[in-house]
Amino acid sequence: MIFEYGAMLAMSLSLFASPAMAAAPAGQCVTVNVQELPASIDMGRVRAAWLDWYNEYRATLDLAPYASDSALDRTASNWSFFSVKRGTIDHKRAWKSAYYDYKGIESWFSNRGVTFKNVRGKTFTENIGWGVYSCAEDDCTDELISSIRSTFDFFMSEKGKAYRSHYNTIVSPDFTKMGMGIGVDAASKRYYLTAHFAVDFAGKPPVVCEAE
């Protein structure tokens, strides 16, 4: 199943399995590898723009705003970085798994020390997308924000359609926390975006002892 939308593509293709990580013992820090983006990109501003788009629309529906969460920023950045390294993005944590294997993704989060409460049958969800991005300026922040707007607009375009899982996340009354991470592949001139959402954590996320 392939959805094409301008410069962005959501794909079910998976080429490699995500590398396994052992769950960290209680009280210990965990290693979460993320891409070191160019200094020309201010990810604080990029994340703020992404969060604002969600919350501005939620406000029109009298929904509570999403809270930005650093633990979900890290997990989202980790998945986007892995996607850059394999050259594609999807939800599959193992080569032969289902496209959206809830238990597999839940285990992936757990291996990074992040576990979720179950509130009225809701725990977490993951939204992904990619699009065209290239910038050689001294400050590429606005360029990246402009590029990822196509991803948000595609999510919004699902409103009223039979398949609207991304739009449903934008307007969910259950999820309260959001994190977003981006990986940039300069060679292919693409960005890979991951957004993670949660109702609440089952325990305090661990301290990150190393980020590469």
Side-chain angles (χ1 to χ4, degrees):
M1 180 170 58
I2 300 177
F3 302 96
E4 191 167 14
Y5 35 101
M8 179 185 166
L9 190 68
M11 303 179 63
S12 61
L13 176 65
S14 179
L15 302 179
F16 304 100
S18 176
M21 291 178 63
Q28 292 190 15
C29 59
V30 297
T31 298
V32 179
N33 295 323
V34 300
Q35 185 180 29
E36 184 176 348
L37 294 177
S40 58
I41 297 174
D42 182 345
M43 272 305 295
R45 282 181 53 205
V46 175
R47 287 191 172 105
W50 183 260
L51 182 68
D52 284 347
W53 297 335
Y54 278 74
N55 286 340
E56 286 169 3
Y57 186 71
R58 288 173 68 84
T60 68
L61 304 176
D62 293 324
L63 292 169
Y66 276 128
S68 178
D69 186 86
S70 60
L72 296 179
D73 285 341
R74 289 193 298 269
T75 56
S77 297
N78 181 237
W79 189 243
S80 291
F81 184 29
F82 176 68
S83 301
V84 169
K85 291 190 287 185
R86 67 176 180 168
T88 189
I89 191 166
D90 57 31
H91 300 289
K92 298 174 74 170
R93 266 52 178 186
W95 179 44
K96 293 184 178 180
S97 70
Y99 182 62
Y100 196 100
D101 178 2
Y102 173 84
K103 288 296 183 182
I105 299 173
E106 183 180 43
S107 178
W108 180 89
F109 274 112
S110 180
N111 287 341
R112 287 151 181 79
V114 179
T115 56
F116 304 95
K117 288 182 179 178
N118 187 318
V119 180
R120 296 186 298 275
K122 299 292 180 64
T123 51
F124 69 86
T125 196
E126 173 178 85
N127 289 172
I128 57 173
W130 69 262
V132 174
Y133 167 76
S134 179
C135 180
E137 305 296 326
D138 292 336
D139 187 345
C140 293
T141 304
D142 289 338
E143 184 71 24
L144 183 56
I145 290 172
S146 177
S147 294
I148 67 171
R149 179 72 196 203
S150 66
T151 300
F152 179 79
D153 288 345
F154 172 74
F155 291 172
M156 284 293 298
S157 75
E158 294 177 349
K159 181 181 179 180
K161 296 181 179 179
Y163 180 83
R164 53 179 182 271
S165 61
H166 305 98
Y167 177 78
N168 287 345
T169 302
I170 295 173
V171 300
S172 171
D174 299 304
F175 296 123
T176 64
K177 304 176 186 296
M178 176 171 67
M180 187 269 276
I182 292 175
V184 173
D185 185 344
S188 65
K189 298 183 179 180
R190 294 177 179 176
Y191 68 83
Y192 295 98
L193 183 150
T194 306
H196 285 155
F197 302 82
V199 173
D200 201 357
F201 298 120
K204 183 178 180 180
V207 173
V208 175
C209 51
E210 181 181 356
E212 297 177 357

